[in-house]
Amino acid sequence: MMENISLVRLVQERIGYTFKNEALLAEALTHPSAVKEGRSRGPDNQRLEYLGDAVLQLAVSHMLVIRFPESGEGDLSFLRAEMVRRENLAEVAAASGIPELVLMGPSLESAPTVAHDTVAADALEALLGAVYLDGGWDNTVQLVEELFTRIPEPGGMLKGAKSSLQEIIQGRFGGEVPEYEVAEDTNGCSDSRFTARVFHRGRFLGEGIGRSKKRAEEAAAMKALAGFEEEP
């Protein structure tokens, strides 16, 4: 396990929140396999994942009710389901670099991508549960709003970050499309990772990490979208 001071620094850089109780952060980033296979004494993040799942459901519901005051229960339920499905949670976690901080057992290090997506989604929920216990509701809602930058419209599906970014760029600048550069880093292991950077007219827009080229590009596009939203 990384030293607590390193974890706090990384979390502060990636999600903008520093824990008062560092033990909660360590717990949120400890997968059950790490405890079962002797890499950690525990506790693992299952209890925080349980709490974080409920916190996330409420926070997303809160966001949607405020954003779409005219929408009914059916539409809001559909939108929430789109946002909290496991695939989307894994992408949100990857865009913030959360999966890299999770302590896993050796058996998972060479597991299929789908297993790592589950680990990432569970860790995100656990992290939200930890923030809720450490900093309260307001900090948790703020974090959810910062992490979940893509919100589907009523009656529509959640678009991929790459598609959304391309629409924004073409709408603002005409027919040009963003360009991606992807590099593979195996670190001497069988568990390859990819780092993607996205540019437009030579301007760097964002960087993302994933276990496939596609996921890395999606993560980079999510960072770029967040940057566009912050622009006046």
Side-chain angles (χ1 to χ4, degrees), residues 126-208:
L127 189 58
L128 291 173
V131 171
Y132 176 74
L133 291 179
D134 191 74
W137 173 247
D138 289 342
N139 281 314
T140 308
V141 171
Q142 181 179 347
L143 178 56
V144 170
E145 291 176 345
E146 291 173 354
L147 291 176
F148 289 78
T149 58
R150 293 182 295 142
I151 300 179
E153 294 292 327
M157 296 291 287
L158 187 65
K159 293 182 180 179
K162 290 181 66 177
S163 297
S164 298
L165 178 62
Q166 182 166 326
E167 287 183 4
I168 289 176
I169 288 178
Q170 290 183 318
R172 292 189 184 185
F173 306 106
E176 296 185 23
V177 297
E179 298 180 350
Y180 294 85
E181 293 181 356
V182 183
E184 182 178 10
D185 181 11
T186 61
N187 291 318
C189 303
S190 59
D191 183 20
S192 299
R193 294 175 186 268
F194 296 86
T195 299
R197 292 184 175 183
V198 59
F199 301 85
H200 178 251
R201 294 179 177 173
R203 175 192 173 194
F204 173 74
L205 300 180
E207 180 178 287

Side-chain angles (χ1 to χ4, degrees), residues 65-141:
V65 165
I66 292 175
R67 177 155 180 169
F68 304 115
E70 303 300 323
S71 295
E73 179 185 358
D75 281 342
L76 294 174
S77 296
F78 173 80
L79 297 179
R80 183 180 62 193
E82 278 294 297
M83 291 179 67
V84 303
R85 59 190 174 90
R86 306 304 276 178
E87 295 86 355
N88 191 50
L89 295 186
E91 290 183 3
V92 171
S96 299
I98 292 172
E100 302 171 43
L101 306 179
V102 179
L103 181 64
M104 299 180 291
S107 64
L108 272 179
E109 290 181 347
S110 58
T113 299
V114 64
H116 287 278
D117 285 350
T118 299
V119 170
D122 291 348
L124 176 62
E125 290 179 336
L127 189 58
L128 291 173
V131 171
Y132 176 74
L133 291 179
D134 191 74
W137 173 247
D138 289 342
N139 281 314
T140 308
V141 171

